[in-house]
């Protein structure tokens, strides 16, 4: 059974930083492209960032490019998302997903971790 458990969310000020983690189990983590997706209040799911199985290729939505960094540690079966220069519009529930680039629906994802950016 695929399990994805996110952590690291919280409250941050505009311009601040957070680091999200996702512990994966139930599948061979290094075989899969992994993504982060988010859902802001009242809006649909938005694909945010993705990383190839070996970690050598990363992709970002234009809305977060240059501010967020996705990475993974295959030895620890863990996915990360470093959030820098946070904006109020980054407020959302963030989900780790076993999903190809750009895909947000019909894929395994965790329960989410809330990120709130507010002064």
């Amino acid at each position: 059974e695929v399990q994805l458990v996110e952590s690291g969310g919280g409250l941050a000020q505009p311009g601040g930083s957070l680091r999200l983690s996702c512990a994966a189990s139930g599948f061979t983590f290094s075989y899969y492209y992994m993504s982060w997706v988010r859902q802001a209040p009242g809006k649909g799911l938005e694909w945010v960032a993705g990383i190839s199985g070996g970690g050598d290729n990363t992709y970002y939505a234009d809305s977060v490019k240059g501010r967020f960094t996705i990475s993974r540690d295959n030895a620890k079966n863990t996915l990360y998302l470093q959030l820098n220069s946070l904006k109020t519009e980054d407020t959302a529930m963030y989900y780790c997903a076993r999903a190809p680039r750009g895909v947000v629906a019909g894929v395994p994802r965790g329960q989410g971790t809330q990120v709130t950016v507010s002064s």
Side-chain angles (χ1 to χ4, degrees):
E1 178 187 2
V2 174
Q3 287 198 323
L4 300 166
V5 180
E6 302 92 338
S7 61
L11 176 64
Q13 293 188 336
S17 298
L18 287 171
R19 190 192 195 203
L20 309 184
S21 299
C22 170
S25 62
F27 64 102
T28 306
F29 182 67
S30 62
Y31 286 6
Y32 288 88
Y33 193 99
M34 296 295 294
S35 294
W36 287 95
V37 301
R38 68 184 180 185
Q39 187 166 27
K43 297 189 177 180
L45 288 167
E46 176 189 15
W47 183 86
V48 173
I51 187 167
S52 58
D56 48 341
N57 290 301
T58 58
Y59 298 93
Y60 299 91
D62 288 343
S63 57
V64 306
K65 198 173 295 181
R67 300 188 299 118
F68 292 6
T69 303
I70 189 171
S71 61
R72 65 193 297 160
D73 185 335
N74 286 342
K76 296 182 178 179
N77 287 353
T78 302
L79 181 72
Y80 302 99
L81 186 68
Q82 178 69 40
L83 291 67
N84 295 332
S85 302
L86 282 163
K87 304 177 180 180
T88 55
E89 52 262 44
D90 294 320
T91 295
M93 185 71 77
Y94 283 73
Y95 300 92
C96 164
R98 196 182 75 179
R101 178 183 177 188
V103 176
V104 299
V107 294
R109 68 172 191 254
Q111 82 291 344
T113 187
Q114 178 68 39
V115 171
T116 302
V117 184
S118 174
S119 55

